[in-house]
Amino acid sequence: MKKVKTLITILLCCLIIGCNQSKVEKSDFIIDKVINDDNTPMIAVVRNISKNDAANNELSDYLNNDNPDDVIYYHITDIKLYEDLEIGERVTVTAPTTLLTSPPQAIAIEVKRYED
């Protein structure tokens, strides 16, 4: 009986600890902003990372990793939007097609911004 109580206590402690750990939400974050050689404003977005990773890592960290396709450059046609977007901001970008470049590039038709 004492073993059962001990086992139940251990399981309850594990359950409480597990419930108290916050989930790390992963999203897409702007990691860089550039204007390319033909004056096209672009944002570099890293997909599926945490807010902490976005704040503490640089673009080169993702371009030089095992999966450089984590980064995508989106051409932004609205200069006011481009100027308003910030590095570290969480976004979802809609683009109809992606060019087979390295890193991939696409023309953004919609940029959804999130308040964090």
Side-chain angles (χ1 to χ4, degrees):
M1 185 68 175
K2 191 169 187 165
K3 289 182 181 182
V4 172
K5 285 183 181 180
T6 303
L7 180 61
I8 290 173
T9 303
I10 291 171
L11 290 174
L12 285 174
C13 288
C14 291
L15 179 65
I16 291 170
I17 291 170
C19 289
N20 286 333
Q21 292 179 346
S22 62
K23 289 184 177 179
V24 176
E25 182 177 326
K26 296 200 172 193
S27 299
D28 299 350
F29 289 90
I30 298 172
I31 199 105
D32 195 20
K33 291 173 57 174
V34 297
I35 296 182
N36 69 6
D37 294 339
D38 65 351
N39 290 325
T40 302
M42 299 188 307
I43 57 172
V45 174
V46 178
R47 298 181 275 195
N48 200 30
I49 61 172
S50 69
K51 184 174 181 92
N52 186 46
D53 288 341
N56 294 312
N57 293 324
E58 296 181 11
L59 178 60
S60 61
D61 296 328
Y62 297 102
L63 291 174
N64 297 325
N65 70 7
D66 291 336
N67 189 4
D69 289 341
D70 289 343
V71 177
I72 185 166
Y73 278 94
Y74 290 104
H75 298 242
I76 306 296
T77 56
D78 181 348
I79 191 68
K80 288 183 181 182
L81 173 62
Y82 171 79
E83 290 171 351
D84 195 42
L85 292 169
E86 296 181 13
I87 293 173
E89 186 173 352
R90 187 177 128 199
V91 294
T92 298
V93 181
T94 304
T97 58
T98 303
L99 301 174
L100 298 176
T101 59
S102 184
Q105 296 182 36
I107 297 174
I109 59 170
E110 180 183 3
V111 178
K112 180 178 179 184
R113 303 168 79 182
Y114 297 89
E115 302 259 341
D116 286 331

